[in-house]
Amino acid sequence: MHQTNQAAPENANMNIPADLLMSNIANSPALKRLIEEVKNGSHVGGNYDRAHNRHNR
Amino acid sequence: MVEVDTILLKVASQCNINCRYCYVYNMGDDGWVDMPNFISQDTIKAISKELNVLKTTQVRPFAIVLHGGEPLLVGARRLENLLSSLRIVIPESYCISIQTNGMLISNQILDICSRFKTSISVSLDGTEAIHNTNRVGHHGEGTFQRVMAGIEKLKAHPDTKFLFAGLLAVIEPHSNPKNIYNFFKSIGTPSVDFLYRDGNHDELPYGKSSFNSVEYGSWLASLLDVYLADPTPIKIRILDDIIRLTLGGVGVKEGVGITDFGIAVIDTDGTITKNDTLKSTYKGADRFIENWNINTHSLNEIFTSKQFADAQKLQRATSLVCQNCPELGICGGGMPLHRWKTETEYRNPSVYCSDQLHIINKVKKLLLGLGI
């Protein structure tokens, strides 16, 4: 009952050349945001906290 | 005194759907059977009174989460009474949120949530085929269309920017993470919280072939590629936490990292319980020995007790494997429910240990490759 007709790829971006992938990741807005957040601690107590309760359920 | 960051209110004990993997109804615990359908007005009063005290005795703000069952089963009138009572004592700087399957979202509900500054997170596992695999009604019917109808109302509300907090999705390890990510992005959600399936060493989670297998880790690793290559990404909480922890920061949620995230769960009859996800390990695992109830006991008395402190300590990884693991600071040993084994109780690494190491190593390798 849990099966799907979709593949389970090890690398969903394997059709993207590795150097292009790394280039994209080097400019990643998500990564830049996270680096900034760690630098200034802004993720603690910010709006992101309200997105989900802190406990997985 | 234990500080909590979450007060989880079970406002409805029943649910309008019957997800196949639900830890409340379908993993052996039947505590909900004896609970009143809805939280009572007296219990709401007692909660408000206690939270009014807690906000002065605890320096750190805490969040309040309305949960169930399906919390929106309480209906508009009860919800308004509940939120009104809470907001009289709880300032808007304290988050109140609802975790819902989204099917009962109405404009009236949204107006009430907007008025009392209460945000909404909707549970949606992915595309229609993926979602309907497990999130089904009581007759086995898929719920995707009705959930999406709720999300459309949420998106159309004038206060949607505040109200729509994000999505919660249980990972289907056989799915294509790129498809799932792109689907969620197309919905317009600001963030997604991907969760592992519940399970433990006695009963391996669905999709894991062995303790050492990495089905979930591989899935997250592929998701990471998609996420970081996206020029306009939505937020993915579990990846954000692992990256931040790898960079030397802290996580914002349980399951990774070693921050203690205290929680108190209040059932519909007012009973105080441990983290309710422990229900998935054995029947009654979330119950304290003391029969604490918000109608008869103060939170101060409970939060200063050894029993409550011991329950919070359960989050800390105690197995020798974890204690000697160089990645403990990032991994944190996973969630307690995933560590359970009858013989050794919670003193084991997470059943997702290999998956956690897989994704952590992927993040580390990637950051190293970028010279970070």
Side-chain angles (χ1 to χ4, degrees), chain B residues 240-261:
Chain B
D240 284 359
D241 268 4
I242 290 173
I243 294 169
R244 272 196 298 256
L245 285 157
T246 305
L247 290 167
V250 296
V252 299
K253 195 168 169 176
E254 72 169 343
V256 289
I258 52 173
T259 309
D260 285 339
F261 292 114

Side-chain angles (χ1 to χ4, degrees), chain A residues 10 37 50 54-55 57, chain B residues 162 222 244 253 261 276:
Chain A
E10 170 61 23
E37 285 179 355
R50 76 178 174 84
R54 287 177 186 268
H55 296 268
R57 52 176 45 72
Chain B
F162 170 80
S222 296
R244 272 196 298 256
K253 195 168 169 176
F261 292 114
D276 61 323

Side-chain angles (χ1 to χ4, degrees), chain A residues 1-2 6-7 9-13 25 28-29 33-34 37 43 48 50-57, chain B residues 67 134 162 167-168 174 179 191 206 218 222 225 227-228 231 237 240 244 252-254 261 275-276 335:
Chain A
M1 76 178 169
H2 297 298
Q6 299 192 57
E10 170 61 23
N11 184 337
N13 269 332
I25 289 175
S28 164
R33 170 177 58 81
L34 292 165
E37 285 179 355
H43 59 291
Y48 192 38
R50 76 178 174 84
H52 309 281
N53 65 79
R54 287 177 186 268
H55 296 268
N56 299 321
R57 52 176 45 72
Chain B
H67 204 265
N134 291 298
F162 170 80
L167 298 175
L168 181 153
H174 296 99
N179 291 350
S191 67
Y206 159 78
S218 293
S222 296
D225 284 340
Y227 183 41
L228 294 187
R237 194 277 305 175
D240 284 359
R244 272 196 298 256
V252 299
K253 195 168 169 176
E254 72 169 343
F261 292 114
N275 191 325
D276 61 323
M335 292 177 68

Side-chain angles (χ1 to χ4, degrees), chain B residues 159-304:
Chain B
D159 197 19
T160 185
K161 197 169 178 188
F162 170 80
L163 290 172
F164 192 9
L167 298 175
L168 181 153
V170 176
I171 295 172
E172 163 52 78
H174 296 99
S175 67
N176 183 322
K178 187 175 185 178
N179 291 350
I180 300 293
Y181 178 83
N182 287 335
F183 170 68
F184 283 151
K185 199 175 161 185
S186 74
I187 289 177
T189 182
S191 67
V192 185
D193 200 5
F194 286 104
L195 307 185
Y196 291 127
R197 280 280 285 265
D198 293 337
N200 53 56
H201 293 276
D202 289 346
E203 194 164 336
L204 282 179
Y206 159 78
K208 269 191 79 67
S209 55
S210 72
F211 172 70
N212 293 315
S213 67
V214 293
E215 294 88 347
Y216 286 80
S218 293
W219 194 93
L220 287 172
S222 296
L223 180 68
L224 181 74
D225 284 340
V226 179
Y227 183 41
L228 294 187
D230 185 353
T232 55
I234 53 175
K235 290 178 176 176
I236 306 294
R237 194 277 305 175
I238 189 169
L239 296 180
D240 284 359
D241 268 4
I242 290 173
I243 294 169
R244 272 196 298 256
L245 285 157
T246 305
L247 290 167
V250 296
V252 299
K253 195 168 169 176
E254 72 169 343
V256 289
I258 52 173
T259 309
D260 285 339
F261 292 114
I263 183 171
V265 179
I266 305 178
D267 227 322
T268 52
D269 70 344
T271 300
I272 312 285
T273 75
K274 302 176 190 175
N275 191 325
D276 61 323
T277 57
L278 296 175
K279 288 174 191 284
S280 68
T281 57
Y282 62 91
K283 184 177 173 176
D286 64 327
R287 295 285 157 163
F288 287 107
I289 297 167
E290 295 287 337
N291 191 20
W292 286 320
N293 192 296
I294 197 75
N295 291 293
T296 50
H297 297 77
S298 73
L299 287 179
N300 184 61
E301 176 188 350
I302 296 164
F303 291 177
T304 52

Side-chain angles (χ1 to χ4, degrees), chain B residues 131 136 141 191 266 274 283 311 322 325 350-351 372:
Chain B
H131 179 90
V136 296
E141 73 281 13
S191 67
I266 305 178
K274 302 176 190 175
K283 184 177 173 176
C322 294
C325 179
S350 167
V351 75
I372 298 171

